């Protein structure tokens, strides 16, 4: 059995008509050209045959961005570490079955990471929603009494965690991880247009959430 | 250089989605959007997005510690590798060839049960022997 790849990941995938990319390339054609140049393909193949150096290179290349992604998705470092360990465990188990050309390996890594984050968020959803809103309100009331720098970081983390999951994923991938719009759209299995919509809504909502904290944020910056 | 496809409306959309830093803008539109962003009206648009970006940049995540990296690499050496796809297909076909005995095993079990029942009708067998037989059938099914 091969590693299962969602439909939108496949070469030439993507939904909707899409905006043309440059004078010649459609979204599908661009995806195809990108998937042919996977910088991890050789490493994954070697890792699949037990090459320790290849495993170490893959970890050094991807651990930090995946950990950052999981931490920002979950708002919890310990859980994020569990998630990335699980992601790499799957890599070690399945590297031998990886077939280059169907999807970028990094795209698959992000997708698995987000899926594992989804599972954890689903398990704790009702409790977390209430706790996050409470934490945000608490910071609003006592913001001046707290250490300003720590409070700003916690406020931003809480604000991010109040976003709907898809919007949070879009912000984490595009803003924090600086993925290109095409790869981020592939990870989320949406069109580039849908990704832009998610990003715009996320940023609008973040601006609204953070507005009451503007004074503290400006204070921290100055 | 200006691009006829790039407008202030589109620049606003880009900033609303990706923020003010052009490194995050769509690669195919970046050059045209940057050119427009350097105009007075373009600067007003990017300035609005820059405020939220400055806030978002406050949220940093601490770096990876060596313990986590070590743990992941230890798992790599301890994890059994999956066989490559082509090998899995070949092994699967081979298994079907060799282990195509499953229907035969069921037939054999059924024959044994029928034989035993016939024997019971004739001689009367201790209940414990019937239990052994049921256990054997279960082992065959589990296998």
């Amino acid at each position: 059995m091969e590693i299962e790849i969602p439909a939108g990941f496949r070469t030439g995938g993507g939904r909707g008509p899409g905006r043309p990319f440059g004078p010649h390339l459609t979204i599908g054609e661009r995806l195809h050209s990108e998937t042919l140049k996977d910088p991890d393909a050789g490493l994954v193949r070697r890792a699949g045959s037990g090459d320790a150096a290849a495993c170490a290179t893959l970890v050094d290349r991807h651990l930090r961005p995946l950990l950052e992604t999981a931490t920002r998705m979950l708002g919890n470092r310990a859980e994020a570490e569990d998630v990335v360990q699980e992601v790499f465990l799957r890599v070690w188990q399945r590297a031998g079955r990886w077939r280059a050309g169907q999807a970028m390996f990094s795209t698959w890594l992000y997708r698995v990471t987000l899926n594992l984050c989804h599972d954890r968020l689903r398990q704790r959803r009702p409790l977390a929603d209430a706790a996050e809103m409470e934490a945000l309100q608490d910071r609003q009331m006592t913001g001046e009494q707290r250490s300003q720098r720590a409070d700003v970081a916690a406020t931003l983390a809480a604000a991010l965690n109040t976003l709907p999951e898809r919007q949070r994923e879009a912000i984490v991938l595009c803003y924090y991880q600086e993925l290109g719009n095409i790869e981020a759209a592939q990870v989320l299995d949406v069109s580039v247009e849908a990704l832009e919509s998610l990003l715009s809504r996320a940023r609008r909502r973040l601006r609204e959430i953070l507005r009451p904290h503007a004074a503290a944020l400006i204070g921290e910056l100055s | 250089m200006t691009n006829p496809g790039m407008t202030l409306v589109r620049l606003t959309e880009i900033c609303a989605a990706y923020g003010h830093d052009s490194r995050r803008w769509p690669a195919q539109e970046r050059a045209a959007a940057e050119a427009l962003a350097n105009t007075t009206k373009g600067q007003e648009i990017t300035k609005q997005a820059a405020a939220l970006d400055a806030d978002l940049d406050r949220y940093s995540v601490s770096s990876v510690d060596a313990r986590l990296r070590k743990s992941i690499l230890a798992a790599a050496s301890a994890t059994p590798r999956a066989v490559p796809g082509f090998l899995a297909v070949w092994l699967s076909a081979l298994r079907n060839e060799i282990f195509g005995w499953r229907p035969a095993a069921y037939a054999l079990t059924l024959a044994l049960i029928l034989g035993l029942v016939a024997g019971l009708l004739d001689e009367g067998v201790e209940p414990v022997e019937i239990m052994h037989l049921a256990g054997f059938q279960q082992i065959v099914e589990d296998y």
Side-chain angles (χ1 to χ4, degrees):
Chain A
M1 194 184 85
E2 293 166 17
I3 296 173
E4 65 281 2
I5 300 170
F9 280 25
R10 295 188 184 283
T11 302
R15 295 174 182 164
R19 183 181 294 113
F21 289 94
H24 306 299
L25 296 181
T26 64
I27 290 177
E29 287 164 345
R30 182 155 178 95
L31 291 178
H32 180 74
S33 67
E34 286 188 352
T35 52
L36 293 178
K37 294 180 290 184
D38 189 340
D40 293 319
L43 285 171
V44 178
R45 203 166 30 248
R46 284 165 50 204
S49 59
D51 183 329
C55 292
T57 306
L58 280 175
V59 169
D60 291 338
R61 192 176 283 181
H62 296 290
L63 176 55
R64 189 183 58 79
L66 294 182
L67 184 63
E68 287 178 357
T69 299
T71 303
R72 289 192 171 105
M73 282 304 298
L74 297 168
N76 181 301
R77 176 58 175 247
E79 276 193 282
E81 290 192 0
D82 289 346
V83 162
V84 294
Q85 291 196 68
E86 175 64 28
V87 171
F88 277 102
L89 192 60
R90 292 184 185 200
V91 172
W92 309 144
Q93 288 168 340
R94 302 174 190 195
R97 296 198 298 254
W98 176 259
R99 283 175 55 187
Q102 288 197 325
M104 295 276 277
F105 180 68
S106 61
T107 305
W108 181 80
L109 282 179
Y110 276 113
R111 184 65 269 169
V112 173
T113 304
L114 292 179
N115 281 344
L116 291 171
C117 290
H118 273 305
D119 293 344
R120 286 175 179 262
L121 289 168
R122 223 169 279 134
Q123 286 166 10
R124 70 183 195 196
R125 194 69 268 169
L127 275 176
D129 274 347
E132 281 156 9
M133 288 313 293
E134 200 174 302
L136 204 57
Q137 286 162 1
D138 183 45
R139 282 187 194 94
Q140 204 164 338
M141 287 188 290
T142 63
E144 290 177 8
Q145 300 162 4
R146 294 173 183 238
S147 158
Q148 225 172 26
R149 182 176 289 273
D151 196 48
V152 165
T155 300
L156 287 164
L160 204 59
N161 282 326
T162 59
L163 291 179
E165 275 177 36
R166 298 293 275 175
Q167 293 180 24
R168 195 185 326 161
E169 288 173 343
I171 282 286
V172 168
L173 293 178
C174 287
Y175 190 85
Y176 286 110
Q177 298 313 126
E178 299 186 354
L179 258 64
N181 58 344
I182 295 168
E183 186 177 6
Q186 277 186 284
V187 173
L188 297 179
D189 195 20
V190 296
S191 67
V192 171
E193 290 79 4
L195 173 74
E196 273 193 20
S197 173
L198 285 169
L199 286 167
S200 299
R201 281 182 283 149
R203 288 177 63 91
R204 193 161 53 237
R205 189 172 161 91
L206 282 171
R207 200 174 290 117
E208 288 165 6
I209 293 170
L210 295 173
R211 192 170 293 141
H213 303 274
L217 291 165
I218 291 165
E220 197 274 339
L221 285 170
S222 62
Chain B
M1 189 182 79
T2 56
N3 183 322
M6 182 53 59
T7 62
L8 288 171
V9 171
R10 179 59 191 151
L11 180 63
T12 305
E13 288 173 355
I14 288 172
C15 288
Y18 301 99
H20 89 291
D21 190 334
S22 64
R23 287 174 304 175
R24 294 190 180 93
W25 294 354
Q28 298 72 28
E29 297 175 283
R30 189 176 299 138
E34 281 175 339
L36 195 56
N38 284 329
T39 65
T40 308
K41 285 187 177 175
Q43 283 172 353
E44 286 173 22
I45 293 167
T46 56
K47 192 178 170 185
Q48 287 176 357
L52 180 61
D53 289 0
D55 289 346
L56 294 178
D57 289 342
R58 301 295 99 196
Y59 184 16
S60 60
V61 175
S62 52
S63 58
V64 175
D65 61 37
R67 173 193 51 82
L68 178 62
R69 181 182 182 277
K70 193 176 172 184
S71 164
I72 288 170
L73 288 175
S77 55
T79 305
R81 295 299 193 277
V83 291
F86 73 91
L87 194 55
V89 171
W90 185 80
L91 285 175
S92 173
L94 184 66
R95 188 185 60 190
N96 289 340
E97 280 296 317
I98 295 173
F99 297 102
W101 49 264
R102 195 179 289 264
Y106 283 119
L108 176 64
T109 306
L110 184 62
L112 281 171
I113 292 170
L114 290 174
L116 188 69
V117 169
L120 284 173
L121 290 175
D122 274 354
E123 297 177 10
V125 177
E126 292 297 319
V128 68
E129 292 181 42
I130 297 173
M131 286 171 64
H132 282 316
L133 187 64
F136 171 74
Q137 186 183 17
Q138 188 60 49
I139 289 167
V140 171
E141 285 174 357
D142 288 347
Y143 196 83

